[in-house]
C-alpha cells in the first residue's frame, strides 16, 4: 500500500478509467461456475437413471464396522470403483469412494482428522441382491441400494438423508490424454477437461478431468446450514437462480454480502435441522468445491414405496408430500470421503463432528477478552499512547496488535527498528498489566537476498514450485515474493522453528501470532491465489490441496509457539484462511469486512455458520475493516461483539483513528460499558470454552441449538445465544427505537440482564432501545458466574471474587457451572490444576458441588454476591453452610423485580457449600 | 452497582455474616483522601458520599460494594468506580481508581495500593519528587530563558497588532488602485469582446470548412496508431495485452517514485488483459501520449520519462464528477483562489471562463496531434492578431488587478489573524519553518499553509491551510489546525495539528501521521513560553505508563 499517492495520480487514474467509485468487490476476479469447467460439467450432469451400480457379490467385510464393495459405471464398465463403509462411534458413518486402480493416485486429506477413527459394530439386518440394510450406533441405520447405487440413512427409524437419490453421482476417473491431432484438437479439450484459461491465466491441467459430483438430500428438512465461509444467510439460500455456494480459499478485496462467492476459508460440512432431528454431512475434500442447494417438495408417490412408512410419524405428509433439501456437491479432484452424522440432537451433532475433526482447545483467558488492533500502530510511542488511552479512559484491554508495518519492509520475523528499537522492553512493559502483544506473520517471503529467511529457504529449496519445478514467484505486500511449502514436513518444522525466541529476535513469551494472507493471497495470481498447476510436496497439485494451505501455515505456527514454551503455554494464533480442522490450532476472523450496517448484520449469520461447523472461536473486525464507521455504528458493533467469541477492533490503514475515546464522552462511555460487560461475563465465557474443548459445543449458538423444537427460530439470524444461558438480540439497525424480541421455548422465562424484567417464552415482545441498550436475556433455569468487579485486564482479574446470577425457571430451579484455571498454561491438562463446579438451585437451596473431584486449583477467589432472579418473596433468613462453618449473610429483596441479593456469602469458589433460604 | 437496603440490620449484625473470605482485615480508613476523612467516622454509620445509602461503619472497606458511588470501598477493589488515595509521602498524594488496588501493578509511588498482593512495590516517591523537582526547575529555566527570547522577538518585530493596524493606510491606497484598475479592466474587456466577435465569426466559417476533412484524417490516423501500438504491445502475439506486457512500459507509470506495480498496471488495463477492441475503446487514448516503443531487449532500459502532469485546465472540461478534486488541485497551484471576495471576483470568473475556452482548444489539438493544423486565410489571421492583442491587454491589466487584490487580501487576512491572546504569535505570521525527515521536508508557513515536499524531487503536497486554534477548551492556543489539504487517495483531505511548545529556538520536531493523511507536528518556539511558569511552580499530574 503506497503511503502517499499524489492527487494528480488519483485524478489521472479516475480520468482514464472513468471509475465511478471504488467500493465493492471486483467480481470479475473470481470464477463463476460457468467459468470453472468442472463445475460447468458437473452442474449440468443429471441423467434420468444413475449408471452407477454396486456389485453386491463383491461385498467384503474387512472387519466389523468396515465393509467394502465394488462400484461400477455401467456406461464405462472398464472403470471400477471401490466403495467403503465405516460405522463410527457416536452415530457416525463414513463412506469412501475411490477409483479401484487409478492411473494417478487420488489425493486424500489427512490433516483434518484427529487420530484413528473408532469403528463400532454394524449389524447387517437385511441383505439380498437388491440392497443391504445395516443397523449401527443408537437407533441409526443405513440402506444401501445396489442398482442404481443409492444410500439411505435413518435416525430413530426416520428417513433423514439420501445419497444419489437424484442420480447426480458422477466420478471423473483419471484418463490418458487423448492423442492430439489437428482435427480433434477442439474435442480433446471438450469442456475444459485438459486446459482452462481464466483472465489470461492458463491452467495446464496435465492430469485432465478428475472431478466428483454427488447429490446428498435431506428428507423432511426445510433448513440447511454451514459450509462456510460465505457472507450469506445462516439458513442457506436456494442456489436455483444463482451460482452454487463455492468453497475455494481466496482473498476477496472488499467482499460483498449476501452471495455465494467463496471467501478466505472452507469447511465442506453442512447441517440440517428440523424439530425432530439434527443431522450433518461432511465431505472431506480440499479441492475447489461448489454446492448447489435447492428446496423441494418430495412427492411420496414417486418415491419407492417401501420407505413411506418412515414418514408416517411426520405431521406434514398431507398430499403425500414432504419437504426436502437437495444439495449437489462438486469437487475438482480428490476422492469421495463423506461423513454422515446422524444426530439426533444439535448437541450430538456438535460432538459428532468435533470427534472427527477436533474441537477448539481452551484458549488462554486473555484471548477471549478485548483486543485492540489497527493497520498499523506505527511505533513504540504510538503503542504506548494507545495503551495509556485505555488506562486514562478506564477501558479494560488485554491485547494490542501490530500489523505488517511493524516489520522491516514486510520481512516477517523482523522489526522495523526505526519504529520498534526495543520490542522486548515494550513487551515487558505491557506484561506488567498482564497484557499481550500480537504480531502478524504472513506466509509470503520477500524475494530479497539480504533477508535471511529468504536466503535460507531459497538455498534449501523450501519454496512452492511451479509445474516446471521452478520456485513460484508472485507478488504480495513486499513485492516479489515466494511461498513456503508447508506440505513438506521438514519445511513445516523449519518454519515452526522460526518462532523460537532465538530465531524470532525481539520476541518474548508475551508475544503471540497472527497469520494473515494465507489463502494464500497472491496479488498477480489467478483469482488472487496460486495457479492450480503448482506442484506441492509429494507431487500433489495445488488443485488437489488448495484449501489446506492456510491451515498448514497456522498449524506450523502453532507448533512453533508450543515448542517455544516446551509445551507449557497455550499458544494463540489468529488465522484468516482455514479448513476443517483449523479450529484445533487457531482462532479465525471473518476477514476484511466493511464499516457498514449491512456488514454488522451479516456478522451474526457468518459467525453462527462458523460456530456450528467447529469454529467456536471466531469474530469479525469491530467497526468494519474498510472505511470509517460513524460513531453509532461503531458503538453498536462494540455492543454486539461484546457477546461474540473473538472480540477485536481492527481498521484499515486508510481509515481515521478509531480508538474508543475518539468519538466524544458519551460514545466513550458506551463503548466502555460494552467492553466492561464482556469482562463481567468472562467467567461464563471461559466455562463455555472449556465445555467446547470437552464436548464440542461452541459458545455462540443458533437459538435452535438450545430450543430444537421451536420452529419459529430455525431461520433466526438477528439473534444468537451464548451457551444455554444468554439470549442476545443486538441492535443492528441504524435508527430504531424498538426491536422485536422473540423469546424461544415453551414455558420458559427470561430475565433482562440489566433490569431483571421477566419475559415469557414463546412470546414476541417489542423492546424499547436507545444507544445504551444491549438487549441480552438470561434464561430462567441457568446460573451464570460473573465478575462484577472491574480490572484493567482479564488476567489481573483471575482471582477476583465471583457473583452468581441464579435465574429461576418456573419450578424455581436452576443450574450452572463454573470452570477456572490459571488462564494460560496446560497445567489444567497435565496437572489437572483446575476447578469445575456445578451450582444447583432446587427446593430453596443453592448447592455448589465439584464436577471434577480429582482436580484441584489454588485460588483466593470467593463468592461475593448471589443474585437470585425470579424469587417469589422476601425470605426471612439465609444461611450458608460450608464444611463446619456456618454464616447468615445479609440479603436484600427487591419486590418489584422479584430479585433476591445475598450480600457477601463468602465461600471460596473451590469449596462445597449449601445456601438455604427460609 | 446495586442499591441495597438491608432490613433488620442491627439484629442480623449480631450473627457471623460471612464465611470468611475476602479482605476484611481492613485498615479502616485505607484509601480515604485526607479531605474526606471527616466523612468516615468509625463510631457512626456511614452515609455514601452521594447520600444514596447509610450503612453500618463495619461495611466500609469490607471488600463488598454497597454504595453506588463506590465511596464505601476506597481501600479495596470491590467497587468499579471508587477512588483510592495514595498518600505518597514525600511526593504528591494522588487518587487512583480503586480497581487498581491489589491488581499487581504498583500505581502509588509508596506502593500503598498493593498492600494485599505478594508483589513488592519499591517506594519511588523520593525519586519521583526529585525528578519532579528537577523537571520543574528545568521547565522554569526553559520558560525563563524562552520568555527573554520572546521579549526580544516581540520587540524587534514590526508586524504586531499595532503594526498591523498601521498598515490600514497602505490598504486604503491599494484599494484605491484596485478601483482604478477595475475600471480599466472593464474597458479592456469590452474592447476584447468586440474584436472577438469578429474573430469568432471568421474562425467559425473557416472551421466549418476544415471540419469534415479533419475528422476523416483524425479517425484513420488514430486507427493506424492504435493498431500499431496494439501489435507492438502484444509481444506474445496472443491478441491480448496482458499485465506483463504492459508492465514493461514503465513510461506509463504515473507515479514514478514507486516501481510500476502490477496493481498500477491493472488499474490502467482495468482487468488482467484486454483485447483489441477493449484496448481501442478504453486504453489507447490514455496511454498514447506517454507511450514509447520498447528498446531492443538486449539493451538496458533507459530511464523512464515521467508523464507530464495532466493539465488542470484540460481536466476541467472532462467530467463534472471530478469537480471536487479539481478544486483541490486548483488550491495547490493557485492558492489565492481560496481568498475570493464575492464582489470582486469578476475578473477571476472571466479568467476561469477564459481558461475553459482555452482548454477546449488544447484538448482539440491533442486529438489532431500529428495532422496538419488548419491554415487560416489572411483576413482571419489579421482579425485573430487584433483579438490576440486585445486579449493580451486585458490579461495584462487582469494580472495587475489580481496582484493588487491579493495584496489586499493578505493584508486583511494578516490583520484579522488571531495571533494569540496577547498577539504574541504575530512575529511568525507568514514565516516558514522546515522539518527534515527521511523522505520528506515538511514546511509550515505559519497561519498560511503546511506542505510536504518530497526529497526525491518533484512534487509538493499541501497538507493543510491555516484553519484555527484548536487546543483544549482551557488552552485553545496550545494547538494550531491546518486543514483541507490535498485529498488522499481513498482517504480524507490532508490535515495537520501543530502543538506549540516552549523552546529556545524556533523549530519543528516530531512529525507523525497517526491516521492516514492526518499529520501532527510539534513547534518549539520562545513565543510559547509562559511568564507564569517561569516564576511559579507547576501542578502535578498522575504519572502514567
Amino acid at each position: 500500500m503506497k503511503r502517499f499517492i499524489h492527487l494528480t495520480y488519483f485524478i489521472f487514474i479516475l480520468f482514464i478509467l472513468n471509475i465511478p467509485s471504488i467500493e465493492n468487490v471486483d467480481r470479475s476476479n473470481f470464477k463463476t461456475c460457468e467459468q470453472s469447467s468442472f463445475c460447468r460439467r458437473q452442474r449440468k450432469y443429471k441423467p434420468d437413471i444413475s449408471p452407477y451400480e454396486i456389485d453386491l457379490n463383491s461385498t467384503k467385510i474387512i472387519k466389523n464396522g468396515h465393509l467394502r464393495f465394488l462400484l461400477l459405471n455401467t456406461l464405462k464398465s472398464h472403470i471400477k470403483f471401490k466403495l467403503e463403509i465405516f460405522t463410527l462411534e457416536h452415530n457416525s458413518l463414513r463412506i469412501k469412494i475411490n477409483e479401484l486402480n487409478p492411473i494417478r493416485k487420488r489425493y486424500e486429506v489427512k490433516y483434518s482428522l484427529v487420530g484413528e477413527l473408532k469403528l463400532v459394530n454394524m449389524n447387517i439386518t437385511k441383505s439380498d441382491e437388491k440392497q443391504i440394510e445395516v443397523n449401527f450406533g443408537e437407533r441409526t441405520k443405513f440402506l444401501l441400494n445396489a442398482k442404481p447405487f443409492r444410500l439411505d440413512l435413518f435416525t430413530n427409524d426416520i428417513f433423514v438423508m439420501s445419497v444419489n437419490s437424484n442420480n447426480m453421482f458422477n466420478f471423473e476417473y483419471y484418463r490418458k490424454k487423448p492423442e492430439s491431432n489437428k482435427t480433434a484438437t477442439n474435442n480433446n479439450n471438450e469442456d475444459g477437461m485438459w486446459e482452462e484459461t481464466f483472465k489470461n491465466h492458463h491452467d495446464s491441467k496435465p492430469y485432465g478431468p478428475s472431478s466428483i459430483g454427488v447429490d446428498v438430500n435431506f428428507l423432511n428438512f426445510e433448513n440447511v446450514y454451514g459450509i462456510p465461509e460465505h457472507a450469506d444467510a445462516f439458513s442457506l439460500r436456494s442456489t436455483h437462480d444463482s451460482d452454487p455456494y463455492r468453497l475455494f480459499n481466496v482473498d476477496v478485496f472488499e467482499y460483498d454480502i449476501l452471495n455465494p462467492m467463496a471467501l478466505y476459508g472452507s469447511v465442506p460440512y453442512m447441517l440440517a435441522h428440523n424439530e425432530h432431528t439434527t443431522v450433518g454431512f461432511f465431505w472431506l475434500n480440499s479441492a475447489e468445491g461448489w454446492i448447489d442447494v435447492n428446496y423441494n417438495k418430495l412427492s411420496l408417490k414417486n418415491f419407492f414405496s417401501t420407505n413411506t412408512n418412515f414418514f408416517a410419524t411426520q405431521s406434514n405428509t398431507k398430499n403425500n408430500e414432504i419437504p426436502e433439501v437437495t444439495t449437489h456437491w462438486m469437487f475438482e479432484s480428490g476422492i469421495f470421503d463423506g461423513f454422515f452424522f446422524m444426530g439426533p440432537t444439535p448437541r450430538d451433532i456438535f460432538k459428532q463432528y468435533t470427534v472427527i475433526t477436533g474441537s477448539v482447545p481452551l484458549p488462554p483467558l486473555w484471548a477471549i477478552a478485548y483486543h485492540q488492533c489497527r493497520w498499523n500502530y506505527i511505533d513504540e510511542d504510538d503503542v504506548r499512547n494507545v495503551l495509556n488511552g485505555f488506562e486514562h479512559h478506564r477501558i479494560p484491554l488485554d491485547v494490542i496488535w501490530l500489523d505488517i508495518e511493524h516489520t522491516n519492509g514486510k520481512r516477517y520475523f523482523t522489526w522495523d527498528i526505526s519504529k520498534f528499537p526495543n520490542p522486548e522492553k515494550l513487551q515487558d512493559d505491557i506484561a506488567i498489566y498482564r497484557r499481550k502483544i500480537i504480531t502478524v506473520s504472513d506466509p509470503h517471503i520477500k524475494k530479497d537476498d539480504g533477508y535471511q529467511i529468504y536466503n535460507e529457504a531459497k538455498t534449501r529449496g523450501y519454496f512452492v514450485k511451479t509445474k516446471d519445478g521452478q520456485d513460484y514467484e508472485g507478488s504480495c505486500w513486499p513485492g516479489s515474493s515466494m511461498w513456503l511449502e508447508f506440505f513438506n514436513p521438514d519445511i513445516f518444522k523449519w518454519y515452526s522453528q522460526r518462532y523460537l525466541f532465538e530465531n524470532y529476535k525481539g520476541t518474548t513469551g508475551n508475544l503471540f501470532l497472527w497469520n494473515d494472507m494465507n489463502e494464500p493471497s497472491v496479488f498477480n495470481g489467478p483469482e488472487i491465489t496460486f495457479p492450480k498447476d503448482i506442484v506441492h510436496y509429494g507431487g500433489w497439485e495445488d488443485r488437489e490441496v488448495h484449501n489446506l494451505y492456510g491451515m498448514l501455515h497456522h498449524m506450523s505456527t502453532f507448533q512453533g509457539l508450543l515448542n517455544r514454551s516446551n509445551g507449557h503455554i497455550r499458544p494463540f494464533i489468529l488465522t484468516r484462511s482455514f479448513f476443517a480442522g483449523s479450529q484445533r490450532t487457531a482462532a479465525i476472523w471473518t476477514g476484511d469486512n466493511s464499516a457498514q450496517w449491512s456488514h454488522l448484520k451479516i456478522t451474526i449469520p457468518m459467525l453462527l455458520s462458523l460456530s456450528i461447523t467447529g469454529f467456536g472461536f471466531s469474530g469479525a473486525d469491530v467497526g468494519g475493516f474498510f472505511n470509517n464507521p460513524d460513531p453509532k455504528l461503531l458503538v453498536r458493533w462494540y455492543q454486539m461483539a461484546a457477546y461474540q467469541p473473538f472480540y477485536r477492533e481492527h481498521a484499515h490503514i486508510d481509515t481515521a483513528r478509531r480508538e474508543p475515546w475518539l468519538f466524544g464522552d458519551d460514545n466513550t462511555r458506551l463503548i466502555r460499558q460494552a467492553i466492561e460487560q464482556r469482562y463481567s461475563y468472562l467467567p461464563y465465557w471461559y466455562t463455555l470454552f472449556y465445555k467446547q474443548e470437552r464436548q464440542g459445543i461452541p459458545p455462540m449458538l443458533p437459538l435452535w441449538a438450545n430450543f430444537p423444537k421451536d420452529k419459529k427460530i430455525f431461520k433466526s439470524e438477528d439473534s444468537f445465544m451464548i451457551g444455554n444461558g444468554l439470549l442476545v438480540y443486538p441492535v443492528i439497525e441504524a435508527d430504531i427505537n424498538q426491536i422485536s424480541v422473540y423469546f424461544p421455548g415453551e414455558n420458559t422465562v427470561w430475565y433482562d440482564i440489566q433490569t431483571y424484567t421477566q419475559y415469557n417464552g414463546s412470546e414476541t415482545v417489542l423492546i424499547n432501545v436507545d444507544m445504551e441498550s444491549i438487549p441480552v436475556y438470561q434464561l430462567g433455569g441457568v446460573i451464570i458466574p460473573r465478575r462484577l468487579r472491574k480490572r484493567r485486564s482479564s488476567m489481573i482479574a483471575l482471582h477476583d471474587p465471583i457473583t452468581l446470577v441464579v435465574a429461576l425457571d418456573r419450578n424455581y430451579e436452576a443450574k450452572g457451572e463454573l470452570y477456572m484455571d490459571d488462564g494460560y498454561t496446560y497445567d489444567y491438562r497435565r496437572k489437572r490444576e483446575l476447578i469445575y463446579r456445578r451450582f444447583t438451585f432446587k427446593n430453596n437451596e443453592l448447592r455448589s458441588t465439584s464436577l471434577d473431584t480429582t482436580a484441584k486449583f489454588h485460588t483466593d477467589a470467593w463468592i461475593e454476591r448471589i443474585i437470585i432472579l425470579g424469587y417469589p418473596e422476601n425470605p426471612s433468613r439465609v444461611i450458608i453452610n460450608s464444611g463446619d462453618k456456618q454464616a447468615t449473610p445479609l440479603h436484600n429483596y427487591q419486590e418489584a423485580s422479584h430479585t433476591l441479593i445475598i450480600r457477601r456469602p463468602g465461600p471460596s469458589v473451590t469449596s462445597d457449600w449449601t445456601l438455604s433460604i427460609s | 452497582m446495586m442499591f441495597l437496603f438491608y432490613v433488620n440490620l442491627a439484629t442480623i449484625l449480631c450473627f457471623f455474616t460471612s464465611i470468611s473470605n475476602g479482605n476484611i482485615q481492613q485498615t479502616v480508613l485505607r484509601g480515604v483522601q485526607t479531605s474526606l476523612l471527616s466523612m468516615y467516622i468509625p463510631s457512626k454509620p456511614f452515609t455514601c458520599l452521594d447520600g444514596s445509602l447509610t450503612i453500618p461503619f463495619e461495611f466500609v472497606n469490607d471488600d463488598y460494594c454497597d454504595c453506588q458511588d463506590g465511596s464505601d470501598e476506597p481501600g479495596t477493589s470491590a467497587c468499579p468506580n471508587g477512588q483510592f488515595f495514595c498518600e505518597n509521602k514525600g511526593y504528591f498524594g494522588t487518587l487512583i481508581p480503586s480497581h487498581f488496588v491489589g491488581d499487581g501493578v504498583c500505581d502509588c509511588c509508596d506502593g500503598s495500593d498493593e498492600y494485599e498482593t505478594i508483589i513488592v512495590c519499591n517506594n519511588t516517591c523520593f525519586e519521583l519528587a526529585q525528578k519532579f523537582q528537577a523537571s520543574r526547575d528545568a521547565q522554569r529555566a526553559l520558560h525563563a530563558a524562552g520568555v527573554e527570547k520572546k521579549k526580544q522577538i516581540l520587540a524587534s518585530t514590526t508586524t504586531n497588532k499595532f503594526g498591523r493596524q498601521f498598515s490600514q493606510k497602505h490598504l486604503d491606497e491599494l484599494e484605491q488602485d484596485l478601483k482604478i484598475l477595475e475600471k480599466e479592466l472593464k474597458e479592456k474587456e469590452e474592447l476584447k469582446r468586440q474584436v472577438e466577435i469578429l474573430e469568432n465569426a471568421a474562425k467559425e466559417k473557416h472551421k466549418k470548412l476544415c471540419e469534415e476533412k479533419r475528422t476523416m484524417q483524425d479517425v484513420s490516423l488514430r486507427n493506424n496508431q492504435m493498431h500499431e501500438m496494439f501489435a507492438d504491445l502484444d509481444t506474445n502475439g496472443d491478441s491480448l495485452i496482458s499485465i506483463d506486457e504492459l508492465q514493461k512500459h514503465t513510461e506509463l507509470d504515473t507515479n514514478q517514485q514507486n516501481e510500476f506495480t502490477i496493481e498500477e498496471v491493472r488499474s490502467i488495463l482495468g482487468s488482467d488483459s484486454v483485447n483489441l477492441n477493449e484496448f481501442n475503446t478504453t486504453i489507447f487514448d490514455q496511454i498514447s501520449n506517454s507511450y514509447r516503443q520498447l528498446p531492443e531487449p538486449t539493451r538496458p532500459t533507459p530511464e523512464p520519462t515521467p508523464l507530464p502532469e495532466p493539465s488542470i485546465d484540460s481536466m476541467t472540461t472532462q467530467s463534472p464528477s471530478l469537480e471536487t478534486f479539481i478544486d483541490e488541485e486548483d488550491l495547490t497551484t493557485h492558492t489565492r483562489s481560496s481568498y475570493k471576495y464575492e464582489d470582486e471576483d469578476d475578473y477571476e470568473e472571466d479568467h476561469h471562463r477564459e481558461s475553459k475556452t482555452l482548454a477546449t482548444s488544447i484538448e482539440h489539438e491533442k486529438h489532431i496531434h500529428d495532422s496538419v493544423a488548419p491554415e487560416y486565410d489572411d483576413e482571419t489571421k489579421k482579425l485573430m492578431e487584433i483579438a490576440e492583442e486585445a486579449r493580451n491587454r486585458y490579461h495584462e491589466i487582469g494580472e495587475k488587478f489580481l496582484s493588487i487584490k491579493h495584496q489586499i487580501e493578505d493584508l486583511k487576512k494578516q490583520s484579522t489573524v488571531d495571533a494569540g491572546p496577547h498577539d504574541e504569535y504575530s512575529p511568525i505570521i507568514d514565516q516558514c519553518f522546515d522539518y527534515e525527515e527521511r523522505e520528506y521536508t515538511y514546511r509550515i508557513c505559519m497561519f498560511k499553509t503546511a506542505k510536504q515536499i518530497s526529497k526525491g524531487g518533484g512534487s509538493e503536497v499541501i497538507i493543510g491551510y491555516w484553519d484555527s486554534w484548536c487546543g483544549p477548551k482551557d488552552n485553545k492556543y496550545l494547538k494550531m489546525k491546518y486543514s483541507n489539504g490535498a485529498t488522499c487517495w481513498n482517504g480524507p483531505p490532508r490535515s495537520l495539528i501543530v502543538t506549540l511548545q516552549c523552546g529556545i529556538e524556533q523549530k519543528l520536531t516530531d512529525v507523525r501521521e497517526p491516521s492516514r493523511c492526518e499529520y501532527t507536528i510539534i513547534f518549539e518556539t520562545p513565543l510559547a513560553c509562559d511568564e507564569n511558569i517561569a516564576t511559579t511552580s507547576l501542578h502535578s499530574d498522575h504519572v502514567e505508563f
Side-chain angles (χ1 to χ4, degrees), chain A residues 180-238:
Chain A
S180 67
N181 57 49
K182 259 185 183 172
T183 53
T185 311
N186 285 337
N187 286 342
N188 287 350
N189 191 31
E190 190 180 7
D191 242 350
M193 282 182 164
W194 294 95
E195 60 177 319
E196 188 173 318
T197 300
F198 175 70
K199 291 191 79 170
N200 222 25
H201 292 284
H202 183 250
D203 176 2
S204 64
K205 294 198 174 179
Y207 306 109
S210 58
S211 74
I212 309 172
V214 66
D215 58 284
V216 176
N217 306 302
F218 299 91
L219 286 95
N220 219 8
F221 288 90
E222 291 175 283
N223 292 284
V224 291
Y225 312 88
I227 54 169
E229 182 176 32
H230 303 100
D232 206 349
F234 179 48
S235 170
L236 298 175
R237 296 188 301 161
S238 164

Side-chain angles (χ1 to χ4, degrees), chain A residues 877-890:
Chain A
R877 194 156 124 158
V878 176
I879 298 175
I880 182 163
N881 285 288
S882 177
D884 53 1
K885 290 184 198 162
Q886 191 182 65
T888 53
L890 301 181

Side-chain angles (χ1 to χ4, degrees), chain A residues 3-4 6 9 11-12 15 17 200 388 654 657 789-792 865 888-890 892 903-904 906, chain B residues 5 12 16 21 62-63 66 99 101 103 107 242 254 267 315 318 440 459 513-516 519 545:
Chain A
R3 293 196 62 180
F4 303 102
H6 299 289
Y9 176 67
I11 292 178
F12 186 66
F15 180 64
L17 294 175
N200 222 25
N388 279 338
D654 283 347
R657 286 282 172 138
R789 295 191 178 201
K790 184 172 175 170
R791 289 297 193 186
R792 302 192 243 217
R865 184 184 294 108
T888 53
L890 301 181
N892 167 256
R903 184 188 194 278
R904 243 182 162 285
Chain B
F5 181 72
I12 289 171
F16 189 49
N21 267 297
D62 73 338
D63 208 16
D66 294 290
H99 68 262
V101 171
D103 68 352
D107 292 291
S242 66
T254 50
S267 73
M315 312 273 267
Q318 277 303 304
Y440 299 97
S459 62
E513 190 188 2
S515 273
R516 185 113 164 84
Y519 299 84
F545 179 69

